[in-house]
Amino acid sequence: MTFNLKIEKAEFVRAGHRTEDFVRDGRPEFAFVGRSNVGKSSLLNRLLGRRGLARISQTPGRTRAINYFLINDRVYFVDLPGYGYAKAGRADRAEWAALVDGYLRCEVPKRTVLLLIDGKVGATPLDQQAYRYLTEMEVATVIVATKIDQVKRGKRQAQLEDIRRTLGAAEEAQILPVSAESGDGIPALWSALDSRG
Ligand code: GDP
């Protein structure tokens, strides 16, 4: 067990902007990525506690960086910039792609990407592209359906299946429903991380 469902220590260690900045010290990494507004900050805050992250998100220039958090001195949580925000132009998209592509091509011993999909909205065409890209890169990917509190309990299974179908994910691909607001699914997410750490 890597975390034992418990954060003893979470510290912000680095904002990476280019390949030279990326951390390569052999520790496993969990990278969080998703459409802007998908609930990534809320989920990270839920997982890590508010202190460290609140400070980071207020620091100008940190948003288009790859932010590393060292957890329990054992693994990194890596906060990737969100994609598809409303005002993104061609240059923004190219910058995002270059940054994330550089990060994923930087080889580390163990990396799992958590692809966040808005549980209420479902998978968008940009989410499809992101998933296809991760699959092509052969990155170990866990799909996380956020804001699941906004989907009625009786409809959640169907919504998860819809996300799976839209992304073209295999039957055995893991899709974890979570709510940063209610805490639903958070223990299951920790277990999934534990089994992969
Ligand atoms: P980010 O842009 O991906 O970092 O998204 P944020 O964490 O800033 O969240 C975007 C919006 O979704 C905010 O208004 C949040 O309050 C809301 N949100 C995030 N997580 C949840 C959740 O689990 N449930 C609900 N109902 N709303 C959420």
PDB file of all heavy atoms in Angstrom, residues 34-45 79 82 116 118 146-150 178-183, ligand 1:
ATOM      1  N   GLY A  34      -7.555  16.906 -17.664  1.00  0.00           N
ATOM      2  CA  GLY A  34      -8.950  16.937 -18.098  1.00  0.00           C
ATOM      3  C   GLY A  34      -9.272  18.293 -18.672  1.00  0.00           C
ATOM      4  O   GLY A  34      -8.443  19.216 -18.641  1.00  0.00           O
ATOM      5  N   ARG A  35     -10.473  18.387 -19.202  1.00  0.00           N
ATOM      6  CA  ARG A  35     -10.967  19.633 -19.746  1.00  0.00           C
ATOM      7  C   ARG A  35     -10.969  20.678 -18.630  1.00  0.00           C
ATOM      8  O   ARG A  35     -11.243  20.353 -17.474  1.00  0.00           O
ATOM      9  CB  ARG A  35     -12.400  19.377 -20.221  1.00  0.00           C
ATOM     10  CG  ARG A  35     -13.016  20.383 -21.116  1.00  0.00           C
ATOM     11  CD  ARG A  35     -14.357  19.843 -21.652  1.00  0.00           C
ATOM     12  NE  ARG A  35     -15.276  19.400 -20.588  1.00  0.00           N
ATOM     13  CZ  ARG A  35     -16.004  20.199 -19.855  1.00  0.00           C
ATOM     14  NH1 ARG A  35     -15.953  21.506 -20.008  1.00  0.00           N
ATOM     15  NH2 ARG A  35     -16.822  19.723 -18.934  1.00  0.00           N
ATOM     16  N   SER A  36     -10.690  21.914 -18.984  1.00  0.00           N
ATOM     17  CA  SER A  36     -10.777  22.990 -18.019  1.00  0.00           C
ATOM     18  C   SER A  36     -12.196  23.002 -17.434  1.00  0.00           C
ATOM     19  O   SER A  36     -13.168  22.782 -18.155  1.00  0.00           O
ATOM     20  CB  SER A  36     -10.445  24.276 -18.764  1.00  0.00           C
ATOM     21  OG  SER A  36     -10.951  25.366 -18.134  1.00  0.00           O
ATOM     22  N   ASN A  37     -12.309  23.189 -16.126  1.00  0.00           N
ATOM     23  CA  ASN A  37     -13.606  23.209 -15.445  1.00  0.00           C
ATOM     24  C   ASN A  37     -14.170  21.814 -15.133  1.00  0.00           C
ATOM     25  O   ASN A  37     -15.300  21.674 -14.661  1.00  0.00           O
ATOM     26  CB  ASN A  37     -14.642  24.008 -16.238  1.00  0.00           C
ATOM     27  CG  ASN A  37     -15.567  24.778 -15.327  1.00  0.00           C
ATOM     28  OD1 ASN A  37     -15.112  25.305 -14.306  1.00  0.00           O
ATOM     29  ND2 ASN A  37     -16.848  24.818 -15.646  1.00  0.00           N
ATOM     30  N   VAL A  38     -13.372  20.777 -15.378  1.00  0.00           N
ATOM     31  CA  VAL A  38     -13.851  19.412 -15.149  1.00  0.00           C
ATOM     32  C   VAL A  38     -13.947  19.094 -13.649  1.00  0.00           C
ATOM     33  O   VAL A  38     -14.608  18.124 -13.251  1.00  0.00           O
ATOM     34  CB  VAL A  38     -12.928  18.387 -15.870  1.00  0.00           C
ATOM     35  CG1 VAL A  38     -11.575  18.253 -15.179  1.00  0.00           C
ATOM     36  CG2 VAL A  38     -13.603  17.033 -16.024  1.00  0.00           C
ATOM     37  N   GLY A  39     -13.273  19.923 -12.830  1.00  0.00           N
ATOM     38  CA  GLY A  39     -13.278  19.676 -11.389  1.00  0.00           C
ATOM     39  C   GLY A  39     -11.944  19.133 -10.888  1.00  0.00           C
ATOM     40  O   GLY A  39     -11.870  18.535  -9.823  1.00  0.00           O
ATOM     41  N   LYS A  40     -10.870  19.390 -11.646  1.00  0.00           N
ATOM     42  CA  LYS A  40      -9.549  18.856 -11.291  1.00  0.00           C
ATOM     43  C   LYS A  40      -9.017  19.487  -9.998  1.00  0.00           C
ATOM     44  O   LYS A  40      -8.537  18.768  -9.129  1.00  0.00           O
ATOM     45  CB  LYS A  40      -8.577  19.078 -12.452  1.00  0.00           C
ATOM     46  CG  LYS A  40      -7.168  18.574 -12.184  1.00  0.00           C
ATOM     47  CD  LYS A  40      -6.385  18.384 -13.468  1.00  0.00           C
ATOM     48  CE  LYS A  40      -6.287  19.636 -14.318  1.00  0.00           C
ATOM     49  NZ  LYS A  40      -5.437  20.692 -13.731  1.00  0.00           N
ATOM     50  N   SER A  41      -9.103  20.816  -9.901  1.00  0.00           N
ATOM     51  CA  SER A  41      -8.601  21.474  -8.679  1.00  0.00           C
ATOM     52  C   SER A  41      -9.387  21.001  -7.466  1.00  0.00           C
ATOM     53  O   SER A  41      -8.820  20.734  -6.409  1.00  0.00           O
ATOM     54  CB  SER A  41      -8.724  22.991  -8.766  1.00  0.00           C
ATOM     55  OG  SER A  41      -8.276  23.438  -9.999  1.00  0.00           O
ATOM     56  N   SER A  42     -10.696  20.895  -7.639  1.00  0.00           N
ATOM     57  CA  SER A  42     -11.537  20.460  -6.512  1.00  0.00           C
ATOM     58  C   SER A  42     -11.161  19.047  -6.084  1.00  0.00           C
ATOM     59  O   SER A  42     -11.095  18.743  -4.890  1.00  0.00           O
ATOM     60  CB  SER A  42     -13.015  20.490  -6.901  1.00  0.00           C
ATOM     61  OG  SER A  42     -13.370  21.771  -7.366  1.00  0.00           O
ATOM     62  N   LEU A  43     -10.907  18.178  -7.064  1.00  0.00           N
ATOM     63  CA  LEU A  43     -10.548  16.800  -6.733  1.00  0.00           C
ATOM     64  C   LEU A  43      -9.185  16.754  -6.038  1.00  0.00           C
ATOM     65  O   LEU A  43      -9.025  16.074  -5.021  1.00  0.00           O
ATOM     66  CB  LEU A  43     -10.536  15.934  -7.996  1.00  0.00           C
ATOM     67  CG  LEU A  43     -10.185  14.466  -7.771  1.00  0.00           C
ATOM     68  CD1 LEU A  43     -11.192  13.781  -6.844  1.00  0.00           C
ATOM     69  CD2 LEU A  43     -10.101  13.709  -9.092  1.00  0.00           C
ATOM     70  N   LEU A  44      -8.227  17.507  -6.571  1.00  0.00           N
ATOM     71  CA  LEU A  44      -6.900  17.524  -5.940  1.00  0.00           C
ATOM     72  C   LEU A  44      -6.987  18.095  -4.533  1.00  0.00           C
ATOM     73  O   LEU A  44      -6.366  17.583  -3.597  1.00  0.00           O
ATOM     74  CB  LEU A  44      -5.910  18.326  -6.799  1.00  0.00           C
ATOM     75  CG  LEU A  44      -5.378  17.546  -8.010  1.00  0.00           C
ATOM     76  CD1 LEU A  44      -4.734  18.477  -9.018  1.00  0.00           C
ATOM     77  CD2 LEU A  44      -4.378  16.473  -7.574  1.00  0.00           C
ATOM     78  N   ASN A  45      -7.790  19.130  -4.381  1.00  0.00           N
ATOM     79  CA  ASN A  45      -7.970  19.692  -3.037  1.00  0.00           C
ATOM     80  C   ASN A  45      -8.578  18.666  -2.100  1.00  0.00           C
ATOM     81  O   ASN A  45      -8.193  18.564  -0.941  1.00  0.00           O
ATOM     82  CB  ASN A  45      -8.857  20.940  -3.090  1.00  0.00           C
ATOM     83  CG  ASN A  45      -8.084  22.160  -3.558  1.00  0.00           C
ATOM     84  OD1 ASN A  45      -6.862  22.207  -3.445  1.00  0.00           O
ATOM     85  ND2 ASN A  45      -8.786  23.138  -4.084  1.00  0.00           N
ATOM     86  N   ASP A  79      -0.059  17.745 -11.622  1.00  0.00           N
ATOM     87  CA  ASP A  79      -1.242  18.482 -12.072  1.00  0.00           C
ATOM     88  C   ASP A  79      -0.950  19.046 -13.459  1.00  0.00           C
ATOM     89  O   ASP A  79      -0.176  19.991 -13.598  1.00  0.00           O
ATOM     90  CB  ASP A  79      -1.510  19.592 -11.036  1.00  0.00           C
ATOM     91  CG  ASP A  79      -2.772  20.371 -11.337  1.00  0.00           C
ATOM     92  OD1 ASP A  79      -3.560  19.929 -12.190  1.00  0.00           O
ATOM     93  OD2 ASP A  79      -2.957  21.435 -10.708  1.00  0.00           O
ATOM     94  N   GLY A  82      -5.303  22.172 -17.762  1.00  0.00           N
ATOM     95  CA  GLY A  82      -6.560  21.746 -18.370  1.00  0.00           C
ATOM     96  C   GLY A  82      -6.606  22.105 -19.850  1.00  0.00           C
ATOM     97  O   GLY A  82      -5.951  23.051 -20.277  1.00  0.00           O
ATOM     98  N   LEU A 116      -9.735  12.935 -16.348  1.00  0.00           N
ATOM     99  CA  LEU A 116     -10.975  13.361 -15.699  1.00  0.00           C
ATOM    100  C   LEU A 116     -12.020  13.724 -16.751  1.00  0.00           C
ATOM    101  O   LEU A 116     -11.754  14.527 -17.661  1.00  0.00           O
ATOM    102  CB  LEU A 116     -10.698  14.578 -14.801  1.00  0.00           C
ATOM    103  CG  LEU A 116     -10.185  14.312 -13.378  1.00  0.00           C
ATOM    104  CD1 LEU A 116      -9.075  13.303 -13.326  1.00  0.00           C
ATOM    105  CD2 LEU A 116      -9.769  15.613 -12.714  1.00  0.00           C
ATOM    106  N   ASP A 118     -16.071  15.023 -17.076  1.00  0.00           N
ATOM    107  CA  ASP A 118     -17.191  15.574 -16.309  1.00  0.00           C
ATOM    108  C   ASP A 118     -18.339  14.561 -16.295  1.00  0.00           C
ATOM    109  O   ASP A 118     -18.918  14.252 -17.347  1.00  0.00           O
ATOM    110  CB  ASP A 118     -17.642  16.899 -16.947  1.00  0.00           C
ATOM    111  CG  ASP A 118     -18.610  17.674 -16.059  1.00  0.00           C
ATOM    112  OD1 ASP A 118     -19.565  17.050 -15.536  1.00  0.00           O
ATOM    113  OD2 ASP A 118     -18.424  18.888 -15.898  1.00  0.00           O
ATOM    114  N   THR A 146     -16.019  12.864 -12.842  1.00  0.00           N
ATOM    115  CA  THR A 146     -16.136  13.827 -11.737  1.00  0.00           C
ATOM    116  C   THR A 146     -17.586  14.291 -11.546  1.00  0.00           C
ATOM    117  O   THR A 146     -18.453  14.004 -12.369  1.00  0.00           O
ATOM    118  CB  THR A 146     -15.269  15.074 -12.029  1.00  0.00           C
ATOM    119  OG1 THR A 146     -15.750  15.690 -13.233  1.00  0.00           O
ATOM    120  CG2 THR A 146     -13.795  14.719 -12.188  1.00  0.00           C
ATOM    121  N   LYS A 147     -17.803  15.017 -10.454  1.00  0.00           N
ATOM    122  CA  LYS A 147     -19.101  15.669 -10.136  1.00  0.00           C
ATOM    123  C   LYS A 147     -20.249  14.669 -10.164  1.00  0.00           C
ATOM    124  O   LYS A 147     -21.361  14.999 -10.606  1.00  0.00           O
ATOM    125  CB  LYS A 147     -19.383  16.822 -11.112  1.00  0.00           C
ATOM    126  CG  LYS A 147     -18.235  17.810 -11.273  1.00  0.00           C
ATOM    127  CD  LYS A 147     -18.605  18.977 -12.159  1.00  0.00           C
ATOM    128  CE  LYS A 147     -17.384  19.799 -12.547  1.00  0.00           C
ATOM    129  NZ  LYS A 147     -17.685  20.917 -13.442  1.00  0.00           N
ATOM    130  N   ILE A 148     -19.980  13.442  -9.746  1.00  0.00           N
ATOM    131  CA  ILE A 148     -20.985  12.389  -9.887  1.00  0.00           C
ATOM    132  C   ILE A 148     -22.204  12.665  -9.005  1.00  0.00           C
ATOM    133  O   ILE A 148     -23.287  12.127  -9.254  1.00  0.00           O
ATOM    134  CB  ILE A 148     -20.356  10.992  -9.623  1.00  0.00           C
ATOM    135  CG1 ILE A 148     -21.132   9.893 -10.346  1.00  0.00           C
ATOM    136  CG2 ILE A 148     -20.187  10.717  -8.142  1.00  0.00           C
ATOM    137  CD1 ILE A 148     -21.070   9.957 -11.853  1.00  0.00           C
ATOM    138  N   ASP A 149     -22.025  13.550  -8.006  1.00  0.00           N
ATOM    139  CA  ASP A 149     -23.185  13.946  -7.177  1.00  0.00           C
ATOM    140  C   ASP A 149     -24.265  14.604  -8.015  1.00  0.00           C
ATOM    141  O   ASP A 149     -25.435  14.662  -7.610  1.00  0.00           O
ATOM    142  CB  ASP A 149     -22.723  14.884  -6.044  1.00  0.00           C
ATOM    143  CG  ASP A 149     -22.048  16.135  -6.586  1.00  0.00           C
ATOM    144  OD1 ASP A 149     -20.875  16.056  -6.994  1.00  0.00           O
ATOM    145  OD2 ASP A 149     -22.681  17.193  -6.622  1.00  0.00           O
ATOM    146  N   GLN A 150     -23.881  15.094  -9.205  1.00  0.00           N
ATOM    147  CA  GLN A 150     -24.866  15.763 -10.056  1.00  0.00           C
ATOM    148  C   GLN A 150     -25.635  14.799 -10.954  1.00  0.00           C
ATOM    149  O   GLN A 150     -26.471  15.220 -11.739  1.00  0.00           O
ATOM    150  CB  GLN A 150     -24.169  16.817 -10.914  1.00  0.00           C
ATOM    151  CG  GLN A 150     -23.539  17.912 -10.055  1.00  0.00           C
ATOM    152  CD  GLN A 150     -23.354  19.206 -10.818  1.00  0.00           C
ATOM    153  OE1 GLN A 150     -23.130  19.186 -12.008  1.00  0.00           O
ATOM    154  NE2 GLN A 150     -23.474  20.323 -10.130  1.00  0.00           N
ATOM    155  N   VAL A 178     -16.502   9.842  -9.050  1.00  0.00           N
ATOM    156  CA  VAL A 178     -16.147  10.536  -7.807  1.00  0.00           C
ATOM    157  C   VAL A 178     -16.905  11.862  -7.677  1.00  0.00           C
ATOM    158  O   VAL A 178     -17.342  12.430  -8.676  1.00  0.00           O
ATOM    159  CB  VAL A 178     -14.624  10.865  -7.707  1.00  0.00           C
ATOM    160  CG1 VAL A 178     -13.772   9.616  -7.768  1.00  0.00           C
ATOM    161  CG2 VAL A 178     -14.189  11.868  -8.761  1.00  0.00           C
ATOM    162  N   SER A 179     -17.005  12.311  -6.455  1.00  0.00           N
ATOM    163  CA  SER A 179     -17.493  13.665  -6.201  1.00  0.00           C
ATOM    164  C   SER A 179     -16.570  14.324  -5.194  1.00  0.00           C
ATOM    165  O   SER A 179     -16.426  13.838  -4.068  1.00  0.00           O
ATOM    166  CB  SER A 179     -18.925  13.643  -5.655  1.00  0.00           C
ATOM    167  OG  SER A 179     -19.236  14.928  -5.138  1.00  0.00           O
ATOM    168  N   ALA A 180     -15.961  15.426  -5.623  1.00  0.00           N
ATOM    169  CA  ALA A 180     -15.111  16.185  -4.697  1.00  0.00           C
ATOM    170  C   ALA A 180     -15.995  16.856  -3.657  1.00  0.00           C
ATOM    171  O   ALA A 180     -15.558  17.133  -2.548  1.00  0.00           O
ATOM    172  CB  ALA A 180     -14.317  17.235  -5.464  1.00  0.00           C
ATOM    173  N   GLU A 181     -17.252  17.081  -4.040  1.00  0.00           N
ATOM    174  CA  GLU A 181     -18.155  17.794  -3.146  1.00  0.00           C
ATOM    175  C   GLU A 181     -18.668  16.895  -2.022  1.00  0.00           C
ATOM    176  O   GLU A 181     -18.576  17.250  -0.859  1.00  0.00           O
ATOM    177  CB  GLU A 181     -19.327  18.345  -3.950  1.00  0.00           C
ATOM    178  CG  GLU A 181     -20.024  19.470  -3.249  1.00  0.00           C
ATOM    179  CD  GLU A 181     -20.489  20.514  -4.242  1.00  0.00           C
ATOM    180  OE1 GLU A 181     -19.614  21.120  -4.905  1.00  0.00           O
ATOM    181  OE2 GLU A 181     -21.711  20.703  -4.359  1.00  0.00           O
ATOM    182  N   SER A 182     -19.196  15.711  -2.389  1.00  0.00           N
ATOM    183  CA  SER A 182     -19.783  14.839  -1.366  1.00  0.00           C
ATOM    184  C   SER A 182     -18.785  13.820  -0.829  1.00  0.00           C
ATOM    185  O   SER A 182     -19.015  13.208   0.207  1.00  0.00           O
ATOM    186  CB  SER A 182     -20.977  14.085  -1.968  1.00  0.00           C
ATOM    187  OG  SER A 182     -20.516  13.133  -2.923  1.00  0.00           O
ATOM    188  N   GLY A 183     -17.691  13.603  -1.560  1.00  0.00           N
ATOM    189  CA  GLY A 183     -16.726  12.582  -1.126  1.00  0.00           C
ATOM    190  C   GLY A 183     -17.052  11.198  -1.677  1.00  0.00           C
ATOM    191  O   GLY A 183     -16.287  10.252  -1.479  1.00  0.00           O
TER     192      GLY A 183
HETATM  193  P1  GDP B   1     -10.877  22.733 -12.871  1.00  0.00           P
HETATM  194  O1  GDP B   1     -10.928  23.878 -13.825  1.00  0.00           O
HETATM  195  O2  GDP B   1     -10.859  21.438 -13.582  1.00  0.00           O
HETATM  196  O3  GDP B   1      -9.776  22.832 -11.855  1.00  0.00           O
HETATM  197  O4  GDP B   1     -12.272  22.737 -12.099  1.00  0.00           O
HETATM  198  P2  GDP B   1     -12.670  23.254 -10.638  1.00  0.00           P
HETATM  199  O5  GDP B   1     -12.199  22.314  -9.581  1.00  0.00           O
HETATM  200  O6  GDP B   1     -12.283  24.671 -10.501  1.00  0.00           O
HETATM  201  O7  GDP B   1     -14.255  23.092 -10.701  1.00  0.00           O
HETATM  202  C1  GDP B   1     -15.027  23.694 -11.720  1.00  0.00           C
HETATM  203  C2  GDP B   1     -16.443  23.905 -11.207  1.00  0.00           C
HETATM  204  O8  GDP B   1     -17.059  22.660 -10.916  1.00  0.00           O
HETATM  205  C3  GDP B   1     -16.501  24.691  -9.899  1.00  0.00           C
HETATM  206  O9  GDP B   1     -17.636  25.533  -9.953  1.00  0.00           O
HETATM  207  C4  GDP B   1     -16.663  23.636  -8.827  1.00  0.00           C
HETATM  208  O10 GDP B   1     -17.337  24.094  -7.696  1.00  0.00           O
HETATM  209  C5  GDP B   1     -17.483  22.590  -9.563  1.00  0.00           C
HETATM  210  N1  GDP B   1     -17.190  21.239  -9.042  1.00  0.00           N
HETATM  211  C6  GDP B   1     -15.984  20.652  -8.943  1.00  0.00           C
HETATM  212  N2  GDP B   1     -16.077  19.421  -8.407  1.00  0.00           N
HETATM  213  C7  GDP B   1     -17.401  19.216  -8.158  1.00  0.00           C
HETATM  214  C8  GDP B   1     -18.155  18.115  -7.601  1.00  0.00           C
HETATM  215  O11 GDP B   1     -17.641  17.050  -7.227  1.00  0.00           O
HETATM  216  N3  GDP B   1     -19.508  18.281  -7.533  1.00  0.00           N
HETATM  217  C9  GDP B   1     -20.112  19.417  -7.951  1.00  0.00           C
HETATM  218  N4  GDP B   1     -21.444  19.466  -7.832  1.00  0.00           N
HETATM  219  N5  GDP B   1     -19.451  20.466  -8.470  1.00  0.00           N
HETATM  220  C10 GDP B   1     -18.111  20.376  -8.558  1.00  0.00           C
END
